[in-house]
Amino acid sequence: MNEALLARYDASLRGLARKDRLRTLSPRAGLDFSSNDYLGLAASKRLGDAVAAAIARGTPVGATGSRLLRGNSPEHEALEADAAAFFGAERALFFGSGYIANFALLTTLPQKGDLLILDELAHASMHEGARAGRAEFKLAAHNDIDAVEDAITRWRAEGGMARIWIAVESLYSMDGDRAPMARLIALADRHEAFLVVDEAHATGIWGPDGRGLAAAFEGRDNIVALHTCGKALGASGALVTGPGTLCDYLVNRCRPFIYATAPSPLMAVAVREALAMLSDEPQRRVQLQERVAFAGRQLAERCGVKPSGSQIQPFVIGDNRRTMAVAAALQTRGFDIRGIRPPTVPEGTSRLRISLTLNVDEADISAMVEALVEVLAST
Ligand SMILES: Cc1ncc(COP(=O)(O)O)c(C=O)c1O
């Protein structure tokens, strides 16, 4: 083994360990308080049956090529037609993952000379896309509309002439709070700007029929939304919805779309079924909201936590080591709760990210809160 070859990576890993930031993979175990399978669709019989039926009628596992070559299957097209109708957009395009879709959007749509303003707490995939893209890029303080408007005004005053893009999440993945959607749309309209909304944690749960928090605005020329399929939809991939012209542009210019094997047609079948389930089984959303409210009350009463009001409930501890120790102690007691550290969250805000799903019931939530109280007292 040539140790010199690997030395700098070893040193970097040791550095992470010194800062209590070393990550390792661990098997899934314990009650689900960490997944994004909010509606419990991932292992549902209906999704499984839809995929089994598709296999039985000969749907291939692999797409066999790029969508622009032989990889375009009727399953992709049927999904995109249903998704556009469901979300109220002119068109939809199916990508292999939300990460790739965000990266693809922000590297392809904003052009040289444009300004892209990104909420500082937006997902890593948006940050990567913004950095790699051609537009000038600025970060805005979280959910601060005035900061976004100031950045626009300054850029215009300095001679910025081209198009403005604003990129946000609708429900933030690590804090569970919402973007001020109506104000963002009004701001975008005022400045003839585009708004890119990552609905990853809203799709399936929030908005009419689970169509997301920007549902009222889909179908406009200046809105592009990202609906990931690996969270509440229980599958994988992501649907980009927006104006037909922008979708055509992506098909022609978006390298991650063009130069990649299309997602499995079976995944397209699963996602299509999940969309149908959102309309057919509204009780799942009602049950989830009941669990969110129940957990919020318990965590507020027993641990003094301010409820986020969503299925993502952060419990900020601050110190990296203590956060991971509390998470580990909860895992030992059978509760799968994960600690989240920088750089995923800002320095000094390490936290437990408590995720509420239909994979647990109220008794599980009570037991988890009880365990959390005990662990916090002893860790
Ligand atoms: C807000 C947000 N956007 C995008 C993604 C990426 O989606 P995917 O997991 O489908 O790659 C995630 C996943 O963690 C996310 O939380």
Side-chain angles (χ1 to χ4, degrees), residues 298-366:
Q298 295 250 322
L299 285 162
E301 280 165 20
R302 305 289 314 279
C303 311
V305 171
K306 183 169 170 279
S308 70
S310 78
Q311 77 281 11
I312 300 167
Q313 180 61 60
F315 185 96
V316 176
I317 292 178
D319 178 70
N320 296 348
R321 182 172 295 183
R322 179 156 189 253
T323 302
M324 298 317 280
V326 170
L330 288 165
Q331 288 155 19
T332 306
R333 291 169 182 238
F335 303 98
D336 188 3
I337 294 186
R338 306 293 172 110
I340 310 286
R341 292 166 286 179
T344 306
V345 291
E347 201 65 54
T349 71
S350 281
R351 66 195 66 186
L352 305 176
R353 178 184 184 271
I354 302 173
S355 172
L356 295 158
T357 72
L358 294 191
N359 299 327
V360 297
D361 61 19
E362 290 192 353
D364 298 327
I365 294 171
S366 296

Side-chain angles (χ1 to χ4, degrees), residues 65-116:
S66 158
R67 287 288 298 279
L68 281 168
L69 299 174
R70 204 176 157 79
N72 189 34
S73 71
E75 289 77 13
H76 297 123
E77 297 206 336
L79 167 61
E80 289 170 350
D82 279 10
F86 179 78
F87 291 111
E90 198 179 347
R91 286 269 295 285
L93 266 190
F94 188 39
F95 283 75
S97 80
Y99 189 102
I100 286 296
N102 263 338
F103 183 84
L105 286 177
L106 297 189
T107 49
T108 311
L109 295 180
Q111 306 289 304
K112 193 166 168 34
D114 286 0
L115 172 68
L116 167 60

Side-chain angles (χ1 to χ4, degrees), residues 121-182:
L121 294 190
H123 191 256
S125 50
M126 285 190 140
H127 283 261
E128 290 305 315
R131 268 203 291 268
R134 284 179 286 268
E136 187 181 335
F137 145 55
K138 292 190 190 310
L139 286 179
H142 178 51
N143 272 350
D144 186 341
I145 297 278
D146 293 337
V148 177
E149 188 140 41
D150 283 352
I152 294 174
T153 313
R154 247 179 290 121
W155 184 73
R156 287 278 185 228
E158 286 162 11
M161 303 282 286
R163 204 50 78 193
I164 291 157
W165 294 79
I166 302 165
V168 298
E169 287 182 37
S170 61
L171 186 93
Y172 281 82
S173 61
M174 292 298 149
D175 292 86
D177 62 333
R178 297 166 175 223
M181 201 52 68

